[in-house]
Amino acid sequence: MDKLQLPLFFFFSSKYSEHQFSSAESITLKELSEEQIKNMLTKMAPNQVNIELISQKIFNETDGIPQFLNAFIKQLLDEKVLSIENDQYIFLKTPEAISKQNFNIPPTIRQLSKQRLESLSNNQLILLKVLAVSGRALHINILLEIVEWEEEKTFDLLEGLIEERIIIQQKIGFDEYFSFTRRKLGEVLYEELQPNEQKKIHKELAVHLENLPLPSLAITQQIGEHYRAAEVASKAYS
């Protein structure tokens, strides 16, 4: 730890119960809020200006999960975005640049996400693939039209995913939307899809969104994005 000089915990796992160890203690690691991450960064880099831009980016990348935070901070160090000088952490890029940078998913986050996905059923994964390709909260009607299952079957699967805290349900008036609880889980699943499967679902989403009556400007932009991703050049308008 002294060599790496990491600001957070190392995490270890064991196949044995904690009762097998003479001095084991259970510690519940709670998710950090964006404000808590900001306070942590302020202590790490007290002279950094616009620290709220960096804390917002880190919160969006990690959802405040301690294991993810640990992996992401290490990634910032490895990629020379963050450095240590005179026992203080210094960001080597401006907050504006960090907030706009696209970071690769750290191996630790990818591994944890893949393990979570491997525990799910094939039908659960079919639903999640649609949400992953959507990249945003998706209306229940679009989801039902794409999977083409009986409503009862679909709602049972969705309820199970909600109970497992993999997805969340949002209600706006009479409309229901579903999205990933952890954005990174959706990103990992998307990257695991074969290109042809990505394109197929992108096209299906575009077709069903296009059939909506009086689509808003935001929906119209989504349609163009999905057609571009599906490589349907004639309909990839913006």
Side-chain angles (χ1 to χ4, degrees):
M1 182 176 286
D2 289 338
K3 183 178 179 181
L4 293 175
Q5 297 184 11
L6 293 177
L8 296 175
F9 295 109
F10 281 101
F11 298 94
F12 300 90
S13 62
S14 171
K15 64 180 180 180
Y16 301 108
S17 166
E18 63 186 70
H19 302 296
Q20 299 289 326
F21 302 93
S22 58
S23 58
E25 180 182 356
S26 295
I27 300 175
T28 301
L29 298 176
K30 298 181 179 180
E31 298 167 11
L32 276 67
S33 67
E34 187 176 329
E35 185 64 25
Q36 288 173 318
I37 293 175
K38 177 183 174 183
N39 293 338
M40 180 189 73
L41 294 178
T42 301
K43 293 178 181 178
M44 289 171 54
N47 299 322
Q48 177 63 54
V49 298
N50 294 332
I51 199 75
E52 62 277 358
L53 287 179
I54 302 174
S55 61
Q56 183 183 55
K57 178 66 173 181
I58 292 178
F59 179 77
N60 290 338
E61 292 288 332
T62 66
D63 291 320
I65 300 171
Q67 294 96 322
F68 288 12
L69 277 166
N70 187 66
F72 192 72
I73 293 293
K74 184 178 184 303
Q75 182 182 23
L76 294 179
L77 288 165
D78 291 342
E79 295 184 4
K80 309 301 182 186
V81 176
L82 182 65
S83 181
I84 304 173
E85 296 180 15
N86 299 324
D87 297 325
Q88 282 193 347
Y89 289 88
I90 297 176
F91 286 96
L92 303 179
K93 293 186 176 182
T94 65
E96 292 75 15
I98 294 172
S99 68
K100 295 177 182 178
Q101 183 169 338
N102 291 321
F103 292 95
N104 292 325
I105 301 174
T108 301
I109 296 178
R110 184 179 301 279
Q111 181 182 6
L112 290 170
S113 298
K114 289 177 70 173
Q115 288 175 352
R116 191 74 183 93
L117 292 168
E118 287 170 359
S119 69
L120 303 175
S121 70
N122 289 335
N123 284 339
Q124 287 176 317
L125 286 173
I126 289 172
L127 286 172
L128 293 180
K129 286 176 183 180
V130 178
L131 293 179
V133 175
S134 173
R136 50 175 61 83
L138 190 63
H139 196 284
I140 182 59
N141 289 348
I142 302 294
L143 197 54
L144 286 169
E145 289 171 2
I146 290 178
V147 298
E148 297 182 325
W149 295 334
E150 294 291 333
E151 286 192 15
E152 183 177 356
K153 173 181 176 179
T154 305
F155 279 109
D156 284 345
L157 289 165
L158 289 171
E159 185 177 343
L161 291 169
I162 292 171
E163 289 177 354
E164 294 184 52
R165 299 184 65 191
I166 293 174
I167 64 172
I168 56 174
Q169 178 188 37
Q170 301 165 284
K171 290 187 177 182
I172 303 176
F174 293 105
D175 294 318
E176 292 181 70
Y177 296 84
F178 295 88
S179 60
F180 279 92
T181 304
R182 308 292 181 211
R183 186 169 52 87
K184 285 298 175 186
L185 189 62
E187 291 179 11
V188 169
L189 178 55
Y190 183 85
E191 292 182 5
E192 290 293 308
L193 298 178
Q194 293 296 317
N196 286 341
E197 189 169 13
Q198 291 178 357
K199 293 174 188 177
K200 175 179 178 292
I201 300 175
H202 274 298
K203 185 176 180 180
E204 289 176 338
L205 284 165
V207 169
H208 288 291
L209 289 170
E210 204 171 24
N211 290 331
L212 292 175
L214 301 174
S216 65
L217 176 60
I219 294 296
T220 301
Q221 291 173 338
Q222 290 177 36
I223 294 169
E225 290 171 5
H226 285 303
Y227 274 129
R228 278 195 296 276
E231 297 184 358
V232 182
S234 62
K235 292 195 172 186
Y237 49 85
S238 57

